[in-house]
Amino acid sequence: MESLLISQKQIARRIKSLSKEIQQEFEGRELTIVAVLNGTVLFLADLVRHLPLPMRLDFVGVSSYGAGTASGELVFTKELRLDVRGRDVLLVDDILDTGKTLKRVLDKLWKLEPRRIKTCVFLEKKARRVEDVKADFVGFSVPDLFVVGYGLDYAERYRNLPFVAVLRPELYTAQPEKVASESRAK
Ligand code: IMP
Ligand code: MG
């Protein structure tokens, strides 16, 4: 790791205030949360524990080809099972970067005719946006650096870190297998 970017304490504090914002928005309505796998698991688990609203929870799987840092061609690896027609949907993702993932999922969800969709992301990087998509609820805005932890991965690793850290650039320019052994040694 290069440096700690967001501590466990900062995350816990922000989740509390974020959940209040979301609660106000959906007050009195049953919420259908659609979370994007796999990066949302830690964020989602903490967030829903602070949301005293009636809710249903489902997941969509979206993957880009290639295991590295770039978001390439997107494929759906898990489809939504719940019916969202006429429902209040909160779409949750780990990080809004280029916006390609959120745009793809939003286009698909709107076709199912929900009453409304609000979007919530744990992190956003404003610098790299290519799609015209915004998040209604944002945990933290981060600079244009590759970050890992609290659900975010590099080549499926580091998701379990309870904080957010910046990955050393020389790691993600190296080979993934080499990365794993190098990082274990440090
Ligand atoms: P987008 O489609 O470019 O907005 O990218 C969204 C996806 O790219 C996220 O769901 C992450 O899986 C991945 N991603 C983008 N930036 C980072 C990062 O800094 N760390 C880890 N994953 C990232
Ligand atoms: Mg990822």
Side-chain angles (χ1 to χ4, degrees):
M1 295 301 122
E2 174 137 307
S3 61
L4 176 74
L5 190 65
I6 310 170
S7 71
Q8 268 181 273
K9 225 178 190 162
Q10 286 173 298
I11 293 171
R13 208 178 302 135
R14 183 65 186 117
I15 298 254
K16 277 189 193 163
S17 56
L18 196 59
S19 55
K20 287 207 179 82
E21 292 173 31
I22 295 169
Q23 200 185 327
Q24 274 168 13
E25 178 72 39
F26 289 96
E27 202 79 73
R29 304 283 308 176
E30 185 182 64
L31 189 56
T32 301
I33 294 186
V34 176
V36 181
L37 292 170
N38 298 336
T40 54
V41 254
L42 275 76
F43 175 50
L44 185 74
D46 286 339
L47 188 70
V48 294
R49 273 180 275 200
H50 288 91
L51 283 177
L53 292 171
M55 68 169 73
R56 303 181 308 158
L57 192 56
D58 201 1
F59 297 89
V60 288
V62 189
S63 256
S64 50
Y65 285 116
T69 56
S71 45
E73 173 116 357
L74 295 176
V75 282
F76 280 87
T77 56
K78 188 209 170 287
E79 300 288 340
L80 194 68
R81 299 288 302 276
L82 292 180
D83 184 9
V84 296
R85 183 183 296 264
R87 298 289 188 152
D88 292 67
V89 174
L90 181 69
L91 174 61
V92 179
D93 203 0
D94 56 356
I95 183 166
L96 174 54
D97 184 19
T98 65
K100 287 181 186 167
T101 307
L102 221 52
K103 174 90 171 46
R104 263 306 284 285
V105 180
L106 277 168
D107 287 350
K108 207 174 155 97
L109 280 178
W110 276 120
K111 292 196 178 114
L112 303 171
E113 301 181 349
R115 177 171 177 260
R116 58 175 169 158
I117 307 175
K118 293 285 171 181
T119 49
C120 173
V121 294
F122 173 55
L123 303 178
E124 82 162 339
K125 281 186 206 167
K126 290 197 175 123
R128 288 173 24 102
R129 201 67 36 82
V130 298
E131 296 287 351
D132 181 21
V133 45
K134 67 165 188 64
D136 299 295
F137 305 99
V138 176
F140 300 90
S141 281
V142 296
D144 187 15
L145 298 166
F146 200 80
V147 296
V148 293
Y150 200 64
L152 290 123
D153 71 305
Y154 168 64
E156 298 305 324
R157 298 185 176 93
Y158 311 113
R159 290 195 200 274
N160 57 319
L161 298 176
F163 47 80
V164 177
V166 177
L167 198 63
R168 284 165 42 219
E170 58 268 37
L171 287 187
Y172 54 85
T173 47
Q175 292 299 309
E177 285 319 309
K178 205 173 152 225
V179 167
S181 50
E182 275 178 0
S183 58
R184 243 177 261 128
K186 271 164 195 155

